[in-house]
Amino acid sequence: MKELIVELNNDRSYPIYIGSGLLNQSRLLTQHIQSKQVAIVSNVTVAPLYLAKLEAVLQDYTVQSVILPDGEQYKTLHYLEQIFDHLLANKFSRNSTLIALGGGVIGDMTGFAAACYQRGIAFIQIPTTLLAQVDSSVGGKTGVNHPLGKNMIGAFCQPKCVIADVDVLDSLEDRQLSAGLAEVIKYGLIRDIDFLFWLEANMKNLLARDKSALTYAIERSCINKAEVVGEDEFETGVRATLNLGHTFGHAIETGTGYGHYLHGEAVAIGCCLAADLSRRIGWLNLQEVERIIAIFKSAHLPVLTPEQMTVDHFLELMSVDKKNLDGKIRLILLEAMGKASLPINVDHAQLLATLKNYAG
Ligand code: NAD
Ligand code: GLY
């Protein structure tokens, strides 16, 4: 098992455990639980697969489960309320613990519920998708979507620990595995060029679910994420670089209706647009842009925008983004392969040129 630490101030540092068979290791989990009251939040897909296993290691606790419907379209305030209803109906107190058992949707919702319930209770992340293991379970961004914007309602709330058991990836659909790889590639693009080269060389092994390749990719991704979050927990600077491709990506997710494009798929397309724009402002050359598109394609990810989305549609949706300031769209671009910029105001004509190159 690998153990990494997300270094934060005020005694809030926490471990990320990565390895095989971790769900069976009772102590790993229970050392981070304060009181007997525990609620596991999961969904109708993941619960039948892994809930019983988790309940078995929590035999000495009073465990409740909240099982939500499955999908990005349920990451809403309405469904968040189901968690609160359950906690209140079962008289959960302030020292109780929530456990997120699922992908990024469950992780983001459980974390937000933990941030709000009685003004804040403890929570633990047990991510079960590759995307959640390499990204969403680490760093404490929690929240829900709004019809007008993705992840627009939320809070920073760090978990007590993250348990990433690679064995749970066995049951993940291929499409979901690829979606997770989009965020993995992102780390290479923004700050870890050696990792990007490694990914180019090892993509086939990752797609074939080679355990040691997957474990390495998760570990290296989490090292990158932990370093960035440790440096800038509340995204006043470098943390924004983790959003490479996300402004375009969120527009695609919102514009096509939550759930049509997986988050990782939308991010893959968004990174290709960001690369195109980085070339237009003179930071990347054409070969580098083609290399970026090729690596996403090699991970079986889409690289073209949805046919139904027009340039105006993109501009409208991109105007609702947490990085925007004074109503201006700000983007993360690539200064070079393996080096992201901080958010910049881009020249409108160049942004239009990129969008026209891709969208109808
Ligand atoms: P997801 O949570 O919807 O999971 C994808 C699908 O896989 C779902 O159908 C789920 O039920 C299923 N699933 C989960 N684990 C499984 C398993 N082990 N076996 C079989 N099926 C399984 O999607 P995701 O890609 O994990 O997460 C995307 C979400 O994460 C988005 O809402 C995105 O905004 C958010 N996100 C948050 C952060 C953050 O920092 N908080 C970062 C990146 C993404
Ligand atoms: N996924 C972006 C972040 O955690 O900051």
Side-chain angles (χ1 to χ4, degrees), residues 79-354:
Y79 285 93
L80 189 74
E81 229 176 289
Q82 291 197 359
I83 305 177
F84 298 136
D85 291 349
H86 206 89
L87 297 178
L88 286 166
N90 290 285
K91 303 192 170 42
F92 269 64
S93 52
R94 285 197 73 187
N95 61 352
S96 53
T97 300
L98 295 188
I99 299 179
L101 176 70
V105 168
I106 289 297
D108 282 12
M109 291 179 79
T110 308
F112 191 33
C116 301
Y117 186 70
Q118 297 195 14
R119 301 199 183 89
I121 61 171
F123 88 108
I124 287 171
Q125 289 273 17
I126 304 191
T128 61
T129 61
L130 179 63
L131 186 138
Q133 294 189 346
V134 299
D135 191 355
S136 62
S137 64
V138 176
K141 278 190 181 175
T142 72
V144 294
N145 300 326
H146 186 278
L148 296 180
K150 171 103 177 125
N151 292 338
M152 277 292 153
I153 318 293
F156 285 99
C157 180
Q158 301 291 344
K160 295 290 174 205
C161 74
V162 179
I163 301 176
D165 186 334
V166 288
D167 295 344
V168 302
L169 302 180
D170 290 347
S171 55
L172 202 61
E173 287 177 2
D174 288 344
R175 186 179 169 199
Q176 298 289 350
L177 191 83
S178 289
L181 288 171
E183 301 279 17
V184 174
I185 295 167
K186 175 193 77 179
Y187 293 115
L189 289 174
I190 64 170
R191 70 192 305 274
D192 193 348
I193 189 70
D194 291 341
F195 186 35
L196 193 71
F197 296 154
W198 183 90
L199 288 168
E200 284 181 327
N202 287 277
M203 194 55 78
K204 283 204 174 83
N205 296 336
L206 291 167
L207 289 169
R209 298 171 192 243
D210 176 282
K211 281 263 161 76
S212 72
L214 278 172
T215 306
Y216 179 75
I218 296 165
E219 186 192 354
R220 187 93 176 221
S221 299
C222 287
I223 289 172
N224 274 295
K225 179 127 191 199
E227 279 177 8
V228 173
V229 170
E231 204 177 312
D232 178 24
E233 181 182 359
F234 298 110
E235 198 168 313
T236 54
V238 70
R239 185 163 182 174
T241 60
L242 295 173
N243 288 323
L244 177 73
H246 282 56
T247 307
F248 295 111
H250 286 168
I252 292 169
E253 286 184 83
T254 311
T256 53
Y258 296 125
H260 281 89
Y261 277 77
L262 302 181
H263 176 71
E265 293 172 341
V267 165
I269 300 167
C271 286
C272 295
L273 269 74
D276 181 275
L277 190 46
S278 304
R279 179 183 67 79
R280 286 174 200 277
I281 64 170
W283 283 351
L284 294 184
N285 62 41
L286 192 59
Q287 288 72 29
E288 289 169 327
V289 176
E290 283 169 352
R291 192 167 178 180
I292 290 171
I293 293 172
I295 188 165
F296 283 112
K297 276 187 175 168
S298 75
H300 300 166
L301 284 159
V303 295
L304 296 174
T305 59
E307 271 177 23
Q308 70 269 36
M309 280 190 70
T310 62
V311 171
D312 286 345
H313 203 183
F314 263 103
L315 289 174
E316 169 65 23
L317 290 163
M318 289 169 72
S319 67
V320 182
D321 186 89
K322 291 188 287 306
K323 283 184 298 305
N324 294 349
L325 283 182
D326 299 326
K328 293 228 166 56
I329 294 174
R330 297 195 321 147
L331 295 172
I332 311 297
L333 297 180
L334 289 173
E335 290 177 17
M337 296 291 273
K339 187 171 186 337
S341 71
L342 290 176
I344 55 163
N345 291 331
V346 284
D347 179 78
H348 192 69
Q350 281 166 330
L351 173 59
L352 267 186
T354 284

Side-chain angles (χ1 to χ4, degrees), residues 58-78:
L58 290 170
Q59 272 171 7
D60 298 336
Y61 294 77
T62 310
V63 181
Q64 297 283 332
S65 319
V66 186
I67 310 300
L68 298 175
D70 181 6
E72 185 74 38
Q73 63 273 37
Y74 302 107
K75 189 177 151 182
T76 62
L77 283 172
H78 175 76

